Amino acid sequence: MQNRNVGIDVDRNVGIDVARAVALVGMMVAHLTFLDGLAVQVFYGFPAALFAFISGVSMGYMRARPAQFIVRGLCLIGMHFALAPFTGQVFVVLGTIGLCMALLAWAPRWSSPVLLWLACVLAFGSAVLSSGSVVLIAAFWPYSPVMWATLMVTGILFQRHMIAPRRLIVGFVVGTVLFVANLALRWYVLLPEFFDANGHTGGLGDVMGSIGTSVGVCSLCCLLRRWIGWLAPLGRMPLTVYCIHVLTADWLAPKWFGIWVSLAGAIVISYVWLAIFTRGPIETLLRRITAVVGKEKNEKIRS
């Protein structure tokens, strides 16, 4: 469907919207429930990593100029510092995503071999920093910009090469294997910091496990989009839903019903808002700001 007013194709990859919704729900569960045992590991680090990976997928879909990615990134960094004083114990992820988006503004234009080499270099760099317990930007801790840049670059590669039924099946199988392997390493094996598989460490095991899990989740959501597409509205306005969540999480967390209030509220808000408007309020504001540095006429798919 063509929107004549803005000159863009508003068709979306529903599977990626669903995957983004899964990431949001995973963050809510991690922030609003008191898990123990293996469940802690399932929700520790993976939802945030999936969010970063899908940010790269979105960059691959967008037909935006590098200047627009830079402006988007700077806006996300600004939102990070605006939200952080009011989120209590919840760490905001937007600063790291914004920084990586600005620094990778030209990445969607690069060839796949270059992106693959870049991902390998970044993964190695993340492991080196992890082994030295280096925190690059204290305000963005525990989300390492180097690890998240790795996730975003691999997200661009996923969008470019994996969105096809047979490849999605392979992606789901391989991603599931890496996810299970990562959990096993976390649970049973004490690794050196360079190879650390625990969430939020940036060790090589953490990077590979997070990439594998993200590929597996995105592949499964794309394969099952016809049956789970009802989750898509939640993933179509992720910034709005995320901001509401982090601003209310500290208040809802002590209450046993907090997770259900947050989930139900997010679903209702997204369905009602999108029944009237094309995109969420914060998404609309961000789009208008980025339009200042160039019209988005070439943006085919917004995911």
Side-chain angles (χ1 to χ4, degrees):
M1 179 175 65
Q2 183 72 21
N3 187 325
R4 296 180 179 178
N5 292 329
V6 295
I8 63 172
D9 187 341
V10 295
D11 291 338
R12 303 179 65 98
N13 186 324
V14 175
I16 298 302
D17 282 336
V18 173
R20 194 181 290 108
V22 170
L24 288 168
V25 172
M27 287 185 184
M28 292 178 187
V29 172
H31 294 155
L32 300 177
T33 60
F34 299 94
L35 304 171
D36 56 15
L38 190 59
V40 174
Q41 299 300 334
V42 172
F43 287 96
Y44 187 67
F46 289 126
L50 177 59
F51 205 62
F53 181 88
I54 296 175
S55 296
V57 176
S58 298
M59 289 181 70
Y61 271 121
M62 293 177 183
R63 302 299 185 264
R65 300 174 181 177
Q68 291 174 297
F69 283 128
I70 293 173
V71 171
R72 285 174 184 264
L74 293 176
C75 288
L76 292 176
I77 293 173
M79 290 174 60
H80 174 100
F81 288 107
L83 290 171
F86 307 102
T87 59
Q89 298 300 312
V90 176
F91 293 101
V92 182
V93 304
L94 299 182
T96 304
I97 291 180
L99 176 63
C100 293
M101 181 174 289
L103 294 176
L104 294 171
W106 282 268
R109 300 187 175 196
W110 296 341
S111 67
S112 295
V114 170
L115 291 177
L116 183 59
W117 276 107
L118 177 61
C120 292
V121 171
L122 289 170
F124 181 81
S126 177
V128 169
L129 293 175
S130 174
S131 63
S133 300
V134 176
V135 177
L136 289 179
I137 304 176
F140 295 169
W141 185 88
Y143 306 113
S144 166
V146 180
M147 176 178 170
W148 280 40
T150 311
L151 290 165
M152 291 174 70
V153 170
T154 52
I156 296 173
L157 288 169
F158 178 89
Q159 182 276 330
R160 190 176 292 179
H161 297 288
M162 295 297 294
I163 306 296
R166 291 184 179 179
R167 294 182 179 182
L168 289 172
I169 293 173
V170 174
F172 169 65
V173 173
V174 173
T176 300
V177 170
L178 288 174
F179 170 66
V180 173
N182 182 269
L183 286 182
L185 290 173
R186 290 186 183 190
W187 198 251
Y188 295 110
V189 183
L190 181 62
L191 295 170
E193 290 179 331
F194 182 90
F195 298 101
D196 201 338
N198 288 298
H200 297 309
T201 62
L204 196 59
D206 182 23
V207 174
M208 296 305 298
S210 296
I211 291 173
T213 303
S214 300
V215 169
V217 170
C218 288
S219 297
L220 182 62
C221 290
C222 288
L223 289 168
L224 300 181
R225 61 187 180 277
R226 293 184 180 179
W227 295 275
I228 58 177
W230 60 272
L231 276 171
L234 189 59
R236 285 178 55 193
M237 42 189 290
L239 280 176
T240 300
V241 171
Y242 178 78
C243 289
I244 294 173
H245 164 62
V246 296
L247 289 172
T248 59
D250 222 37
W251 177 73
L252 290 172
K255 301 171 174 59
W256 67 268
F257 55 82
I259 180 63
W260 304 112
V261 171
S262 189
L263 282 174
I267 292 172
V268 170
I269 289 171
S270 59
Y271 264 87
V272 171
W273 186 274
L274 293 175
I276 303 172
F277 303 100
T278 303
R279 54 186 63 82
I282 297 180
E283 289 76 8
T284 299
L285 177 61
L286 185 60
R287 183 173 179 273
R288 289 180 177 177
I289 293 174
T290 56
V292 173
V293 294
K295 296 180 180 179
E296 295 177 301
K297 290 183 178 180
N298 296 323
E299 186 178 350
K300 288 185 176 181
I301 304 175
R302 293 178 50 79
S303 292

